[in-house]
Amino acid sequence: MEYFAEKYDIAVIGAGHAGIEAGLAAARLGCKTAVFTINLDWVGNLPCNPSIGGTSKGHLVREIDALGGEMARAADATLIQMRMLNLGKGPAVHSPRAQIDRREYSKYMKHCLEAQENLDLRQAEIVALERGKDGDWLLKTKLEAVFSAGAVILATGTFLSGRVYVGDVSYESGPDGMFPAAQLSQSLRRLGIPLRRFKTGTPPRINRRSVDFSPLEAQQGDEHIVPFSFDDKPLPQNLAVCHITYTNAETKRIINENLDRSPLYAHKIEGVGPRYCPSIEDKIVRFADKERHQLFLEPCGLDTEEIYVQGLSSSMPEDVQLKIIHSITGLEHCKVMRTAYAIEYDCVDPLALSPSLEFQEISGLFGAGQFNGSSGYEEAAAQGLVAGINAALKLKGEDAFVLDRASSYIGTLIDDLVTKGCSDPYRMMTSRSEYRLILRQDNADFRLMDKGYALGLISEEKYNRFLEKKALVEQENRRVQKTVLAPCEQLNAVLEQNNTAPLATGAPLSELLRRPQLSYEVLAPFDKNRPDLPAEVFEQVEIGIKYEGYITRQQAAIDEMRRLEAKLIPEDTDFNLISGLRLEAREKLSRVRPRSVGQASRISGVTPADISVLLIYLARK
Amino acid sequence: MSTVAAIATPCAASGIGIIRISGEDALLIADRVFSPFSSGTKLCDMKGYSAAYGRVFSEGKPLDEAVALVFRAPKSYTGEDVVELSCHGSPFVLSQVLRAVLSAGAQPAPAGEFTKRAYLNGKLDLARAEAVMNIIGSQGEDARCAALNALDGALGKKTQAVRSVIVSAAANMSAWVDYPDEEIPELDRSTLAEAFSSCENELRTLLSGFDAGQAVLSGVDTVIAGRPNAGKSTLMNLLAGRELSIVTPFAGTTRDIVEQSVRVGNILLRLADTAGLRSTEDEVEKIGVGRAFERVGRAGLVLAVFDSAEPLNADDMRLAQLCAGKKAVAVINKTDLPPRADFEYIKAHFKYVAEISAFEDSGIDTLENAIEAVLGTENFDTSGALLTTERQRMCCEKAADCLNEAVDALSSGMTLDAVNVSCDGAIAALLELTGESVSETVVNEVFAQFCVGK
């Protein structure tokens, strides 16, 4: 029998990476919060790769930390290998990536939620969501409890009407064999939410004991580990090794021969898969001339023999999968523990959301993570954090917290989703940002920590440490401008060794640091009074000087962007009444409801001419 | 947007003059002033691309017989409903008809309004809109060809081609960065640098054609300078007299020093008012030739006239020195008389020298060739892509500078993320050039320059 269970300020549906950050942020901002999950044993599950970070995703994780989220801390606490990707390709694209002990991560996150004040973690499947008479949301569980909440955050991941595909076999399921949320979609449709089907997939897991590592190249972690979090914690250690292998001509032949048995190519899956994270059959078909594809063998944890085969995501039938795996060097005799599968799920067209991640037309309802059409743990966590913050601010009657594109990858991600929408699962990439040289992973604290502190999500201790670092950077900046190195034989020899012009007269240290060929390290012997500062302080100073011209250029572009961003469009604007707008522009503008001219200019299908019309309309008003 | 009307043809007596009415109420307003001879017909009921023959009335009195052409949105020049009344081309009649149309409810179209609406309705891109403006303003055959060419999007095609090279390089760099696991080969820095260099060269070529294009499209402010009695006015009369199709009076323009325009080859020269100078010759004698020299500094072309029959004096030498670095032709006049001037001195200071005798009407062809050579218009290709406005020139220059910077960064060993910033800058500048991305200021600036009617 249905019964009323409890009243909350905020209810979060789902305890994946989005749900966790949403719940924690809401609770930390003082709201009485419930987080519902179908399976309490897999809070913060990593159902795909056992890793966090990577190109641009590492940026997201550090930004989450600077705003007071949990992902970076959890990853640092449970990582078993850490690497900085793209070293040598420039500071804008350096990206930290960690191998994670999957069970430890989940344990950490579950305990974190359990221990959080103002937060209740509940195992329950929400089967219906509707608006109560008093305007509060009513959430009904499968076991007929009714909870109420002032705001609800949908973070349903791949559970929402989830369906798994392996070859000809398909069945309703959540990820990793968990129950799907089969009933909730119906009440979301009743609320008028535009649902659609996306799909994603995961590769097989194999037993380490059955792998022949002898012909494989090992990949070690970095000697100098840079953790994700700006917290002051002991440095994590590298405890595991990954290995690299490749697909080959035989793999290609097997896949091509069996394409008709792939549900993707037999058109059994209607969901749209991620272009940027294709299955192996997709890669073989689309890049037919490529001889081989690189695969990484990643351990799933320290106390398991399970290995994740990155790059071999597939929805081929099980027997074909076995042939594919056994065709690969080192895996000829390997034992598969879990079969690769594709999973299809319901998600929303994010154009229905505003930049606060609240539904435009449905007050008090928010979306985050894969539900919003994104893909990836880090993308999900970033949205969860913002949705949680905004749900709390909404209940407090405060203005929404919106990060613009120039502030962060988080802002870029959300702006892309709610402004441009997505036709396939959205993955973050460095090329999505026009301000890459400013939005670096190393300065996430400089960009965002003030904001996190103002929100109340950053502790005094952490914030003070940041202020200290900031002061040291400024101090060192002044010092390198003032310190003049006199030309001498040894210095000029070093300069010439590094293929850069020798000095004829004295030069400020900053001028030498500006040269791409030189670094702090190289100049150390000549910089006699160099203070003993943390490496990240030197890093900030050096990047600031070396890339000054480019940073200034991007800053100018940011100022220009923010000028258009400051031209607000009144909320009650009826775009259908603006004559001169083309039909397509009217439709798109009415759907996205941009807050500013800047946002309007980024909507696909809205031309500069439409923007001119809009500007004229606004000027006349 | 309101319905606007204006006279769309030049305000001069001609066979036909057109009043254009554009906007939501264009047909309604036209019906109030125009009544077709076939009774019962209303413009409001007519399809697009159809015509009616009838009479234009003002307060019940007939003004003129006219043909009304009906265009239906979006298939019209502006993309709106349009009626064009083709009347007889008397300026007086046209102004009466326009007045009737305005009192029937239309607003007078401000400068450039029709083209602005065409742009805003997506009928023209910005470069094409600017080309329209140039056709209207163009005064020679080459100018019209060049302007038409820009309308076809020759410039758009050119910049698009350059842009796609940069975009593809940028995409390559992004893939290399975003997919470190995918064995994407590192981009070879010298290959990248070569690609960017060749793009930069293309843009620099466009830029170098800008001045020549300007000369062809809108003419050149030309000063005839020289000491009194060197033969300035004779030269001017000669240039003017030779070309019967002179001379557009620029009455009411702001170029107060321009008296008349003459065509040399295919270029329009706007000649400075030497007559004005002449009338104050006594004063010029007194204060030196300071004022004339000031004009030399501002001119797009200087014709420096020297008297071959007199030894060079201080003023001559000063003029020669002033012309250094400017587009200038030395005109050595009076070659019919025994030479006493120092020809070598003149030739040392001027790359282009024409020896003429205004009196004998000889050497003018040499002068024409010299003028075309100094302006770079002798091989002017009217079919090529051409930058036609200062705005376009600036965008193009910015893109070229960004590419230059990218090449520098590549050779100095900067990391590719920095090179990418320069790439982005170049792409943005090229998008702005063609108006595919555009800021408010740019739109306003361009349309403030349009003349009424088109």
Side-chain angles (χ1 to χ4, degrees), chain B residues 287-447:
Chain B
I287 62 169
V289 273
R291 249 184 91 195
F293 284 155
E294 199 183 296
R295 272 184 203 168
V296 167
R298 287 199 307 262
L301 172 67
V302 183
L303 302 180
V305 184
F306 299 95
D307 187 340
S308 83
E310 297 286 331
L312 298 180
N313 67 10
D315 281 345
D316 287 326
M317 292 183 189
R318 196 169 153 213
L319 176 62
Q321 283 153 16
L322 259 185
C323 287
K326 286 199 65 76
K327 291 192 170 155
V329 176
V331 183
I332 304 178
N333 193 15
K334 305 187 191 173
T335 50
D336 46 305
L337 301 177
R340 294 177 60 198
D342 182 352
F343 280 37
E344 290 311 309
Y345 182 90
I346 296 171
K347 281 177 183 164
H349 282 78
F350 290 87
K351 191 172 170 199
Y352 299 96
V353 178
E355 296 175 27
I356 67 163
S357 163
F359 179 73
E360 290 183 346
D361 193 6
S362 71
I364 298 295
D365 289 345
T366 326
L367 176 59
E368 261 184 25
N369 292 342
I371 289 173
E372 292 214 325
V374 74
L375 293 175
T377 54
E378 79 266 56
N379 295 319
F380 184 73
D381 176 11
T382 53
S383 66
L386 182 65
L387 299 166
T388 56
T389 67
E390 182 58 24
R391 188 193 68 77
Q392 292 176 354
R393 193 195 63 75
M394 281 174 63
C395 290
C396 188
E397 183 152 50
K398 196 168 152 200
D401 288 348
C402 283
L403 288 168
N404 187 273
E405 201 179 85
V407 174
D408 270 1
L410 281 166
S411 64
S412 72
M414 273 317 260
T415 48
L416 285 187
D417 53 352
V419 176
N420 226 331
V421 173
S422 304
C423 271
D424 284 354
I427 294 167
L430 290 175
L431 283 171
E432 199 179 327
L433 195 162
T434 51
E436 282 162 87
S437 97
V438 77
S439 66
E440 186 187 10
T441 35
V442 172
V443 174
N444 293 342
E445 212 169 280
V446 167
F447 290 105

Side-chain angles (χ1 to χ4, degrees), chain A residues 55 86 89-93 276 290 292 294 310 429-431 436 516-517 547 550 553 567 579-580 608-609 612, chain B residues 1 119-121 174 176-183 405 409 412 414-415 417-418 420-422 424 436 438 440:
Chain A
T55 47
N86 286 335
K89 298 185 185 178
V93 295
Y276 305 104
K290 208 167 165 187
R292 61 177 200 179
Q294 193 163 225
Q310 189 206 311
M429 292 182 289
T430 60
S431 49
R436 288 183 292 281
Q517 300 86 351
Y547 294 88
Y550 299 93
R553 159 92 56 82
K567 280 190 195 292
S579 60
S612 316
Chain B
M1 270 191 271
Y119 168 70
L120 293 182
N121 290 324
S174 299
W176 179 62
V177 157
D178 276 322
Y179 297 95
D181 292 350
E182 289 294 331
E183 292 193 288
E405 201 179 85
S412 72
M414 273 317 260
T415 48
D417 53 352
N420 226 331
V421 173
S422 304
D424 284 354
E436 282 162 87
V438 77
E440 186 187 10

Side-chain angles (χ1 to χ4, degrees), chain A residues 338-353:
Chain A
R338 299 186 207 225
T339 303
Y341 62 89
I343 184 166
E344 195 183 52
Y345 53 95
D346 278 356
C347 58
V348 72
D349 178 348
L351 293 182
L353 304 168

Side-chain angles (χ1 to χ4, degrees), chain A residues 588-601:
Chain A
K588 288 278 172 62
L589 288 165
S590 304
R591 204 151 138 224
V592 175
R593 306 209 58 77
R595 299 194 323 157
S596 67
V597 174
Q599 194 191 349
S601 71

